[in-house]
Amino acid sequence: MFNLPFNSRNNKFFVSIYWNLFDSIVTQALLIIHNILLQKFIGTYFHGLFSITFSLFYLFIILLNFGLDYSLAPFIKEIVKDKQSLLHFIKYQIAPQIIFISIFSLIFSFIVIKYQNLLKIPFKDIINLNLIFTVALTFISESVKKTLRAFLQLALMTKTTALVESIGMYFYIATIWTSYIVNINITLEYCWLILLIISIFQVLILSYNLYKYYSKLQNNSNYISNYKYQELIKARTFNWILQMSAQLFNSNFFVPFCSLYLDLHKASYIKIYWSIAQWINSIINKNINVSLAISFANFKDKYFNIFKYLSYL
């Protein structure tokens, strides 16, 4: 009998599927409830305003990731084969990514501040220096968090990523509604500040778990070959093009796009409807696409056994 990679109920792969399911159901459900309540209590105009800013924010996070998160699966075994290989990956892939995102955030902030009066958007009057600075820092933090989460998922640490994401969402929503109950004015700047604080804590927790994972790797001088990194660059380019196309059918693009031709009230309802559809899509994506990526990253050398086993049957 051939050895299969999925032959135990306690296999980390199946545990990852469970926590992916938990993450997709809990996190997105909390987000839907939050959006419905937020629309009811602050009105469709301001909810539409919130929806547009957050949609554009996460759209740029995905686009400026340049396909890195979606390209890790085929290379994860080589990346984590020893401490030097992981450090090499951080030095030549993660660090340049963070530097580029930081520079982009600074340049974008400067442009918004300098040409604020020329912006043809309905909410330009509420834009101020504190808001721009907070959004820029949050952009950097959320970008780093996205890559850390993707890496740890492929390293079969999905329980950690799911709990960090779900608890972070819970604290964000709880903080917003607690503030509302005690009559704290909920402004766009206040919401971004809460998100920034929670995001920084999440990055610190994920970074600590990455360090623990790194400390368990063996210590030798074998680096990943340049050929592998050239292949990773090619994979990132290809996946980035695919992601750009996919975003045309995502709420992060569709909600701001519709707001150009509709008012903010209608944009608010579009966000609610799309959040429900995205919840279903998230369950499918995290439990099929992400799980397949995890299995490919960790068991690709054993897949041939599956085909041999099926032939044997």
Side-chain angles (χ1 to χ4, degrees):
M1 182 65 66
F2 299 104
N3 293 323
L4 298 178
F6 318 123
N7 55 5
S8 173
R9 291 174 60 88
N10 297 320
N11 194 293
K12 288 185 177 182
F13 173 76
F14 292 104
V15 175
S16 297
I17 293 178
Y18 167 79
W19 283 106
N20 271 329
L21 181 63
F22 173 83
D23 183 19
S24 57
I25 291 178
V26 174
T27 304
Q28 291 299 321
L30 287 173
L31 191 59
I32 291 172
I33 295 172
H34 171 67
N35 274 296
I36 293 175
L37 293 175
L38 196 64
Q39 184 196 59
K40 180 178 180 181
F41 284 95
I42 71 173
T44 54
Y45 180 86
F46 285 103
H47 179 258
L49 172 62
F50 278 49
S51 300
I52 291 173
T53 53
F54 277 93
S55 293
L56 289 173
F57 177 83
Y58 285 104
L59 175 65
F60 276 100
I61 283 181
I62 293 173
L63 294 182
L64 293 181
N65 183 257
F66 292 110
L68 175 61
D69 300 351
Y70 284 86
S71 305
L72 289 177
F75 307 96
I76 194 69
K77 281 292 186 181
E78 289 80 7
I79 291 173
V80 300
K81 66 181 180 181
D82 52 58
K83 290 182 178 180
Q84 283 71 25
S85 296
L86 180 54
L87 287 176
H88 194 269
F89 170 75
I90 293 174
K91 180 179 179 180
Y92 291 101
Q93 295 292 328
I94 303 296
Q97 182 89 3
I98 295 175
I99 293 173
F100 174 80
I101 290 172
S102 301
I103 294 174
F104 172 84
S105 299
L106 290 174
I107 294 176
F108 185 80
S109 300
F110 173 78
I111 292 174
V112 172
I113 294 171
K114 185 173 181 63
Y115 300 103
Q116 178 178 345
N117 295 329
L118 300 178
L119 296 177
K120 296 181 180 180
I121 52 178
F123 49 90
K124 67 177 182 179
D125 293 335
I126 66 173
I127 296 177
N128 56 61
L129 185 60
N130 290 333
L131 175 61
I132 295 172
F133 181 70
T134 303
V135 172
L137 289 179
T138 308
F139 186 84
I140 297 172
S141 180
E142 284 290 292
S143 298
V144 174
K145 186 186 79 173
K146 182 177 183 298
T147 298
L148 286 174
R149 185 176 67 235
F151 182 89
L152 292 176
Q153 282 179 333
L154 294 176
L156 297 176
M157 299 179 68
T158 314
K159 178 180 179 180
T160 299
T161 60
L163 288 176
V164 168
E165 192 70 19
S166 300
I167 294 174
M169 180 65 70
Y170 170 79
F171 272 106
Y172 173 75
I173 295 174
T175 303
I176 295 297
W177 290 107
T178 301
S179 302
Y180 181 84
I181 292 173
V182 298
N183 294 321
I184 296 178
N185 187 27
I186 302 177
T187 62
L188 193 61
E189 182 180 340
Y190 180 77
C191 290
W192 280 107
L193 180 61
I194 298 301
L195 180 60
L196 172 61
I197 295 172
I198 293 175
S199 180
I200 290 175
F201 274 107
Q202 289 176 313
V203 168
L204 291 175
I205 294 172
L206 293 176
S207 299
Y208 173 71
N209 280 273
L210 176 61
Y211 174 76
K212 287 201 305 181
Y213 183 84
Y214 163 81
S215 64
K216 295 178 182 178
L217 297 176
Q218 63 179 351
N219 189 14
N220 60 53
S221 58
N222 295 323
Y223 292 153
I224 300 176
S225 65
N226 292 329
Y227 172 77
K228 287 292 183 180
Y229 270 91
Q230 291 174 359
E231 291 298 310
L232 178 56
I233 297 292
K234 293 177 183 178
R236 289 186 64 175
T237 303
F238 179 75
N239 282 314
W240 182 67
I241 294 173
L242 289 179
Q243 282 182 288
M244 289 182 64
S245 303
Q247 289 306 305
L248 295 176
F249 306 95
N250 189 285
S251 63
N252 291 334
F253 171 81
F254 196 75
V255 172
F257 178 77
C258 289
S259 68
L260 296 175
Y261 301 94
L262 305 172
D263 54 36
L264 289 175
H265 300 281
K266 292 184 177 62
S268 172
Y269 286 105
I270 292 173
K271 179 62 176 179
I272 296 293
Y273 298 145
W274 207 289
S275 295
I276 298 174
Q278 193 167 332
W279 183 37
I280 300 173
N281 178 71
S282 176
I283 295 174
I284 297 173
N285 178 64
K286 288 193 175 182
N287 291 280
I288 296 180
N289 294 344
V290 175
S291 297
L292 285 175
I294 292 173
S295 65
F296 179 72
N298 292 275
F299 307 116
K300 62 180 181 180
D301 55 335
K302 298 182 180 180
Y303 274 134
F304 182 65
N305 283 339
I306 296 178
F307 294 108
K308 292 171 69 176
Y309 177 71
L310 292 176
S311 300
Y312 176 79
L313 292 178

